[in-house]
Amino acid sequence: MLLLGTIVAGCALGGVPSAVAANPGVTHVIHEDSFTDTDYCETGQAVDVSFSVRITEFSAPNQPVDTRIIQQGTVVLTNPLNGATLINHVANQNTEVTISGDPAGVHTEVWTFKGLGEVLRTEHGGVLTRDAGYLVLRLVLNGNSFPPLSTPEIVVNNGQFPDAETDYNLFCEVTTSALGLT
């Protein structure tokens, strides 16, 4: 989830809009890319990563929150040494609200996720992990920098979010094993 969150945050903050809606504060982005993570999950081993994410971002003043994002996308992870491939899919809506501090400096935000946080599958369709439902996190950030300064605190968990419940360690545990990196 953090991997996809990082990609999505980068897209939302720095992506080039493919089209801008007639309403100010609405941005549509399709972000596709690929790269090699040379130290995947701190294993010292390389994993090829490709992704395609569609994002619609609604920003203030049109929203009662700072930012609302609707996203749908897929991240493909491949071990180049053995060909093992995993597919991670996301389809959700999330909001971000600053609740204290200066957004340009150290501040606290509440992030709310509704929908499919992630479903991690093998290339042949076997589900390895699934985060879905309604999740609210509180975290401390420094400006727009990511990762956060604090471990995200789960405020509400109405669903199944095993990755969030393990402070996002489950993702690396599962993917390194399934990709044959351990």
Side-chain angles (χ1 to χ4, degrees), residues 123-180:
E123 184 176 23
H124 303 292
V127 174
L128 300 173
T129 66
R130 181 178 178 271
D131 283 27
Y134 178 79
L135 180 70
V136 180
L137 302 174
R138 182 177 18 241
L139 58 158
V140 178
L141 297 162
N142 187 5
N144 287 333
S145 53
F146 198 86
L149 298 175
S150 68
T151 299
E153 173 193 354
I154 297 174
V155 179
V156 176
N157 181 349
N158 290 331
Q160 296 177 340
F161 291 91
D163 198 22
E165 292 167 357
T166 63
D167 292 331
Y168 300 99
N169 293 313
L170 181 63
F171 184 86
C172 279
E173 290 173 21
V174 170
T175 59
T176 55
S177 177
L179 290 170

Side-chain angles (χ1 to χ4, degrees), residues 20-128:
V20 177
N23 293 333
V26 177
T27 305
H28 301 282
V29 177
I30 298 172
H31 194 71
E32 297 174 327
D33 203 355
S34 62
F35 60 94
T36 298
D37 183 339
T38 57
D39 186 19
Y40 184 79
C41 287
E42 300 177 351
T43 62
Q45 298 182 57
V47 168
D48 294 332
V49 180
S50 64
F51 62 90
S52 176
V53 182
R54 291 178 173 270
I55 301 168
T56 301
E57 179 182 16
F58 305 86
S59 57
N62 295 332
Q63 300 296 310
V65 297
D66 295 339
T67 303
R68 180 171 63 103
I69 297 171
I70 297 172
Q71 58 190 352
Q72 185 276 327
T74 302
V75 178
V76 178
L77 307 169
T78 303
N79 180 338
L81 297 179
N82 65 14
T85 299
L86 301 176
I87 301 164
N88 193 11
H89 183 71
V90 59
N92 64 39
Q93 172 182 282
N94 68 317
T95 60
E96 301 171 8
V97 178
T98 301
I99 59 170
S100 67
D102 177 8
V106 176
H107 63 286
T108 302
E109 291 187 3
V110 170
W111 292 4
T112 303
F113 298 88
K114 299 175 186 176
L116 182 64
E118 69 180 10
V119 62
L120 181 63
R121 294 185 168 109
T122 65
E123 184 176 23
H124 303 292
V127 174
L128 300 173

